[in-house]
C-alpha cells in the first residue's frame, strides 16, 4: 500500500484508538471525531493524559534496560501507533546504535506517517509493516520483517497499550504465546496494559465509550496481565504500575496508582 492509498483508506467517520492516543499525548495527527471521543474519555477519566504519558515513559525505560543490561539489539513493536518522538528505535539506538526495529500496525494513518519511523541511525535498521496482532502468522511471515530481524537471535517483543484492545474471545494469551514461541532464548516481552483495578466504575465508563465508538476493549486485572508473562523470567520489580517500573530519579513528583492505572512488566525468555 502506498502512502496515497493509505490516506484514501483512512476512515474518519468514527474514532480510532491510535488517533485518540495521539490526542492524549498532545499530538496533531487526529480528526475531530477522535478528539470528541477522547474528550469523552477525559471527562470520565481526567488522568488519561497521565496514563498515556506514563505508558510512553515505561516504553523508553524498558527499551533502555533491555539494550543496556540484556544485550537486546532487535525489537518487534506491534501496535506502534502514530509516531511520537522519541520513537522506540531512537531510544534503542541512543544506547546501541546498531539496533534494528520492525514496527507493525494495522491503521492506515500510521502508514501515512511511517517515514518518521524509518529515520534510523546509519548502523541500525528500521522498517514498518502493515499487520494485525490478531494474525500473528501473517505478521511473522512478512518479508520485510525477515529483511530486518534475525529470529535466531534475541528479539524484544514490545506490546505497549495494545492487548487491552484484544478481547478474551480473540485469544489474547494464545496470540502472545505464538509470537514468543518463534523467538529464541534471551528474547523478551515488554508489555503495558490498562487496568480497572484502582477505579472500576471509572474504567467501566471508559469501556463503554470505546465500545460505543466501535472499538471493543478488555481492561484486565494485575493477575490477568501477569498471565502474559507465563514461562518468562520477570525482571524486577515484576508486574507493577507503570510509573513504579524502574523510575528515573529525575522523574519528579510521581502520580498516584489510580491516575496511571497501567500494569507494566518485562520478562525474558529462558
Amino acid at each position: 500500500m502506498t502512502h496515497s492509498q493509505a490516506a484514501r483508506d483512512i476512515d474518519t467517520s468514527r474514532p480510532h484508538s491510535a488517533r485518540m492516543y495521539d490526542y492524549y499525548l498532545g499530538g496533531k495527527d487526529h480528526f475531530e471525531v477522535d478528539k470528541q471521543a477522547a474528550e469523552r474519555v477525559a471527562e470520565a477519566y481526567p488522568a488519561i493524559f497521565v496514563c498515556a504519558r506514563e505508558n510512553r515513559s515505561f516504553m523508553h525505560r524498558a527499551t533502555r534496560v533491555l539494550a543496556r543490561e540484556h544485550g537486546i539489539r532487535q525489537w518487534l513493536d506491534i501496535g506502534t501507533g502514530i509516531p511520537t518522538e522519541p520513537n522506540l528505535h531512537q531510544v534503542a539506538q541512543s544506547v546501541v546504535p546498531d539496533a534494528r526495529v520492525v514496527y507493525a500496525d494495522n491503521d492506515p494513518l500510521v502508514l501515512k506517517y511511517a517515514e518518521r519511523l524509518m529515520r534510523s541511525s546509519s548502523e541500525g535498521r528500521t522498517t514498518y509493516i502493515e499487520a494485525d496482532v490478531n494474525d500473528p502468522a501473517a505478521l511473522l511471515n512478512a518479508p520485510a520483517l525477515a529483511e530486518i530481524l534475525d529470529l535466531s537471535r534475541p528479539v524484544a517483543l514490545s506490546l505497549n497499550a495494545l492487548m487491552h484492545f484484544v478481547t478474551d474471545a480473540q485469544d489474547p494469551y494464545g496470540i502472545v504465546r505464538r509470537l514468543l514461541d518463534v523467538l529464541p532464548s534471551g528474547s523478551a516481552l515488554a508489555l503495558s496494559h490498562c487496568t480497572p483495578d484502582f477505579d472500576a466504575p471509572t474504567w467501566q465508563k471508559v469501556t463503554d465509550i470505546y465500545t460505543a465508538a466501535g472499538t471493543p476493549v478488555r481492561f484486565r486485572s494485575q493477575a490477568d496481565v501477569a498471565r502474559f508473562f507465563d514461562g518468562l523470567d520477570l525482571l524486577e520489580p515484576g508486574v507493577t504500575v507503570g510509573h513504579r517500573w524502574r523510575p528515573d530519579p529525575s522523574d519528579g513528583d510521581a502520580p498516584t496508582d489510580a491516575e496511571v492505572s497501567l500494569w507494566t512488566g518485562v520478562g525474558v525468555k529462558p
Side-chain angles (χ1 to χ4, degrees):
M1 182 184 291
T2 66
H3 288 190
S4 60
Q5 286 174 313
R8 288 197 302 272
D9 289 344
I10 295 169
D11 181 2
T12 61
S13 66
R14 65 179 190 175
H16 189 285
S17 58
R19 303 193 304 253
M20 291 170 66
Y21 185 59
D22 176 74
Y23 178 83
Y24 302 147
L25 290 172
K28 305 296 182 185
D29 298 317
H30 53 265
F31 301 101
E32 184 63 26
V33 67
D34 309 303
K35 177 182 176 181
Q36 291 174 0
E39 288 181 342
R40 286 195 293 274
V41 172
E43 184 177 353
Y45 171 41
I48 184 62
F49 306 101
V50 175
C51 177
R53 184 179 69 243
E54 292 298 335
N55 181 64
R56 290 291 298 180
S57 294
F58 163 74
M59 182 273 283
H60 295 165
R61 297 194 305 276
T63 299
R64 288 194 293 265
V65 165
L66 288 171
R68 285 179 180 150
E69 301 177 19
H70 295 273
I72 297 290
R73 298 293 184 269
Q74 304 186 106
W75 277 260
L76 173 57
D77 182 64
I78 307 176
T80 298
I82 294 164
T84 303
E85 292 196 356
N87 294 299
L88 189 151
H89 74 278
Q90 294 168 311
V91 177
Q93 290 175 354
S94 72
V95 180
V96 284
D98 60 340
R100 295 180 168 226
V101 178
V102 171
Y103 293 104
D105 204 293
N106 66 344
D107 181 7
L109 188 63
V110 179
L111 176 60
K112 182 171 182 280
Y113 292 103
E115 66 270 11
R116 297 184 194 170
L117 303 173
M118 308 301 183
R119 298 171 187 165
S120 172
S121 67
S122 57
E123 302 97 326
R125 297 279 303 279
T126 67
T127 195
Y128 173 83
I129 58 176
E130 185 184 13
D132 192 325
V133 72
N134 290 294
D135 190 353
L139 191 160
L140 292 167
N141 290 323
L145 184 147
E147 292 175 6
I148 302 295
L149 301 184
D150 177 358
L151 297 186
S152 71
R153 298 173 56 224
V155 176
L157 174 62
S158 181
L159 303 177
N160 288 297
L162 172 66
M163 296 310 294
H164 47 240
F165 294 112
V166 180
T167 65
D168 292 345
Q170 295 167 293
D171 190 19
Y173 301 106
I175 287 171
V176 173
R177 186 167 58 250
R178 285 191 288 277
L179 291 167
L180 288 170
D181 279 350
V182 303
L183 304 181
S185 173
S187 295
L189 170 65
L191 181 144
S192 61
H193 196 298
C194 288
T195 182
D197 283 358
F198 303 102
D199 188 349
T202 289
W203 281 89
Q204 184 58 56
K205 293 176 185 176
V206 175
T207 298
D208 294 343
I209 293 167
Y210 272 95
T211 301
T215 302
V217 289
R218 172 71 163 86
F219 302 120
R220 295 182 172 92
S221 68
Q222 184 182 25
D224 286 341
V225 173
R227 283 184 59 197
F228 287 112
F229 296 94
D230 284 355
L232 304 180
D233 296 329
L234 267 173
L235 302 187
E236 291 295 335
V239 176
T240 189
V241 188
H243 65 298
R244 299 184 185 279
W245 198 92
R246 303 200 184 185
D248 292 328
S250 60
D251 283 347
D253 293 339
T256 66
D257 290 355
E259 286 175 320
V260 178
S261 288
L262 187 78
W263 292 119
T264 59
V266 178
V268 175
K269 186 173 180 178

